[in-house]
């Protein structure tokens, strides 16, 4: 039965990227009507789900903690491409799109996904156990990246408004990329045990992660190719549907920043599903790796690419957060630190993070 289910899943994730590619080819560069937008949305969601499946196959082949890194980077590629694409088409109206999307990604990962993983883990074993050393290092890196890239622009004086000067933007981009690469080196080379699942006593847990055997090299290569195709389709289809998304946000009376929140929720859907599956398999640490790794990649990879893109992009680049956003970010870091230090969490900690996520969503819709 398990073999049949796996075969069906593989066929489904094989056909969906091909279907999405056909939809993209038929709609690219055209003003699609409402009925076709629904079809594009279906293909877009299908491509996202296929991407997470194939990313998990590749991740299982390379093993942890490399697996969480594969999915985080794949999801960030989607995010960066969407931001740049919409900034090119949006002009001055998209000046704060990068900030809104990156901040939304941090809130979704560090509160929404983080809280969901802890909640599911605590429901299964009463207490969710994880490695506080690796998780704490990841949170510290996220906090530093967010402050350098999203908080400091509000207080610099070289340009009016929450913007970096070209030199400051270049420094933030280089520092973000260097810090992200340093973390990846620590996670995968120097101290990989700090990011592996742990047992109640704190020892590294080598239990099964939900797969009987690692996929073959041939299967992993096929999944890698389908992952690339699915990512291309996600980027292209999001570009096709973005005008309808912007019109829908305006029609609903929501602020322009809601577009960034919608983008972040879309691109982080694969991470959310993968983290939930990990927590359901009692692999809380892997779920937390996915959450914080995605937050880190969203800043550490997005900001350098956006900084490079400003060479040919016209218009301002607003990165500085407002007062409400900075309060939410500070509270997230403080609560996250208190959650991580003991190395174990109950339903309460998961609920607190989810409450912060709900506050973010509400204030994004009603600032």
């Amino acid at each position: 039965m398990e073999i049949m289910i796996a075969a069906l899943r593989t066929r489904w994730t094989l056909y969906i990227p091909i279907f999405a590619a056909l939809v993209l080819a038929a709609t690219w560069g055209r003003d699609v009507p409402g009925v076709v937008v629904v079809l594009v949305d279906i293909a877009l969601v299908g491509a996202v789900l296929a991407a997470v499946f194939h990313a998990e196959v590749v991740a299982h082949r390379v093993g942890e903690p490399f697996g969480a890194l594969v999915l985080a980077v794949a999801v960030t590629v989607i995010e960066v491409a969407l931001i740049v694409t919409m900034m090119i088409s949006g002009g001055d109206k998209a000046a704060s799109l990068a900030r809104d999307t990156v901040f939304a990604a941090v809130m979704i990962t560090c509160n929404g996904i983080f809280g969901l993983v802890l909640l599911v883990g605590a429901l299964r074993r009463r207490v969710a156990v994880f490695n506080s050393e690796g998780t704490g290092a990841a949170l510290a890196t996220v906090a530093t990246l967010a402050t350098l890239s999203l908080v400091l622009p509000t207080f610099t004086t070289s340009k009016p408004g929450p913007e970096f000067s070209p030199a400051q933007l270049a420094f933030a981009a280089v520092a973000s990329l260097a810090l992200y690469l340093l973390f990846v080196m620590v996670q995968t080379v120097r101290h990989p045990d700090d990011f592996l699942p742990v047992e109640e006593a704190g020892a590294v847990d080598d239990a099964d992660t939900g797969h009987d055997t690692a996929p073959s090299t041939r299967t992993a290569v096929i999944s890698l190719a389908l992952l690339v195709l699915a990512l291309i389709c996600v980027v292209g289809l999001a570009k096709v549907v973005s005008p309808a998304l912007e019109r829908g946000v305006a029609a609903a009376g929501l602020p322009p920043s809601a577009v960034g929140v919608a983008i972040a929720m879309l691109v982080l859907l694969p991470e959310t599903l993968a983290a939930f599956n990990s927590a359901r398999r009692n692999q809380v640490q892997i779920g937390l790796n996915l959450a914080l790794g995605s937050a880190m990649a969203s800043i550490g990879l997005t900001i350098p690419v956006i900084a490079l893109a400003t060479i040919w992009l016209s218009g301002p680049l607003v990165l500085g957060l407002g007062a409400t956003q900075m309060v939410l970010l500070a509270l997230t870091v403080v609560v996250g630190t208190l959650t991580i230090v003991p190395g174990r969490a109950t339903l309460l900690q998961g609920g607190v993070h989810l409450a912060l996520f709900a506050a973010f969503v509400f204030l994004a819709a009603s600032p």
Side-chain angles (χ1 to χ4, degrees), residues 29-111:
R30 301 179 183 179
D31 187 12
V32 294
V35 177
V36 180
V37 168
V38 175
L39 179 63
V40 173
D41 289 337
I42 293 173
L44 180 59
V45 173
V48 170
L49 297 176
V52 67
F53 173 81
H54 292 297
E56 284 188 316
V57 172
V58 176
H60 187 50
R61 175 61 184 174
V62 300
E64 292 297 333
F66 295 93
L69 181 64
V70 170
L71 188 54
V73 172
V75 168
T76 305
V77 169
I78 301 176
E79 179 183 339
V80 172
L82 289 178
I83 293 174
V84 173
T85 300
M86 297 187 72
M87 287 183 69
I88 292 174
S89 61
D92 291 348
K93 296 186 297 182
S96 63
L97 179 63
R99 177 201 66 187
D100 296 334
T101 306
V102 171
F103 178 69
V106 173
M107 290 294 103
I108 292 169
T109 53
C110 294
N111 286 317

Side-chain angles (χ1 to χ4, degrees), residues 155-205:
F155 300 100
T156 54
T157 58
S158 56
K159 290 191 70 174
E163 299 179 44
F164 271 143
S165 68
Q168 291 169 340
L169 180 60
F171 170 79
V174 172
S176 297
L177 182 60
L179 192 55
Y180 177 72
L181 293 178
L182 176 62
F183 176 83
V184 170
M185 186 269 290
V186 170
Q187 183 186 33
T188 58
V189 179
R190 299 284 293 183
H191 302 283
D193 288 349
D194 289 348
F195 302 90
L196 295 177
V198 294
E199 299 173 343
E200 184 69 30
V204 174
D205 183 7

Side-chain angles (χ1 to χ4, degrees), residues 114 130-132 135-136 139 292 335-344:
F114 199 93
F130 50 88
N131 193 318
S132 60
T135 310
L139 180 63
L292 295 176
V335 171
T337 302
L338 295 175
T339 299
I340 289 171
V341 167
R344 58 201 301 274

Side-chain angles (χ1 to χ4, degrees), residues 52-360:
V52 67
F53 173 81
H54 292 297
E56 284 188 316
V57 172
V58 176
H60 187 50
R61 175 61 184 174
V62 300
E64 292 297 333
F66 295 93
L69 181 64
V70 170
L71 188 54
V73 172
V75 168
T76 305
V77 169
I78 301 176
E79 179 183 339
V80 172
L82 289 178
I83 293 174
V84 173
T85 300
M86 297 187 72
M87 287 183 69
I88 292 174
S89 61
D92 291 348
K93 296 186 297 182
S96 63
L97 179 63
R99 177 201 66 187
D100 296 334
T101 306
V102 171
F103 178 69
V106 173
M107 290 294 103
I108 292 169
T109 53
C110 294
N111 286 317
I113 301 178
F114 199 93
L116 178 65
V117 169
L118 295 180
L119 189 69
V120 173
L123 283 173
R124 288 188 61 84
R125 286 192 172 182
R126 296 183 63 86
V127 175
V129 181
F130 50 88
N131 193 318
S132 60
E133 293 182 0
T135 310
L139 180 63
T141 307
V142 171
T144 303
L145 289 171
T147 302
L148 287 176
S149 301
L150 302 177
V151 176
L152 288 183
T154 303
F155 300 100
T156 54
T157 58
S158 56
K159 290 191 70 174
E163 299 179 44
F164 271 143
S165 68
Q168 291 169 340
L169 180 60
F171 170 79
V174 172
S176 297
L177 182 60
L179 192 55
Y180 177 72
L181 293 178
L182 176 62
F183 176 83
V184 170
M185 186 269 290
V186 170
Q187 183 186 33
T188 58
V189 179
R190 299 284 293 183
H191 302 283
D193 288 349
D194 289 348
F195 302 90
L196 295 177
V198 294
E199 299 173 343
E200 184 69 30
V204 174
D205 183 7
D206 295 324
D208 180 55
T209 59
H211 304 275
D212 293 332
T213 57
S216 65
T217 301
R218 178 176 177 273
T219 300
V221 170
I222 293 174
S223 285
L224 180 61
L226 290 171
L227 172 62
V228 172
L229 177 61
L231 294 179
I232 293 173
C233 291
V234 168
V235 173
L237 292 172
K239 169 63 176 173
V240 172
V241 82
S242 60
L245 174 63
E246 293 172 348
R247 289 194 297 268
V249 168
L254 298 174
S257 60
V259 176
V261 177
I263 292 174
M265 287 186 171
L266 173 65
V267 301
L268 288 171
L269 178 59
E271 288 287 53
T272 304
L273 295 175
F276 173 79
N277 289 335
S278 296
R280 195 164 50 85
R281 296 192 297 262
N282 292 325
Q283 301 292 323
V284 173
Q285 183 63 52
I286 295 177
L288 299 183
N289 289 346
L290 287 166
L292 295 176
S294 294
M296 205 178 307
S298 293
I299 307 173
L301 298 180
T302 301
I303 297 301
V305 173
I306 297 299
L308 185 62
T310 56
I311 297 175
W312 68 84
L313 288 176
S314 60
L317 177 62
V318 176
L319 288 178
L321 297 175
T324 302
Q325 295 169 318
M326 282 190 283
V327 169
L328 286 174
L329 178 62
L331 188 56
T332 297
V333 173
V334 171
V335 171
T337 302
L338 295 175
T339 299
I340 289 171
V341 167
R344 58 201 301 274
T346 64
L347 291 175
L348 177 60
Q349 283 89 347
V352 169
H353 282 279
L354 290 176
L356 284 175
F357 173 67
F360 160 71

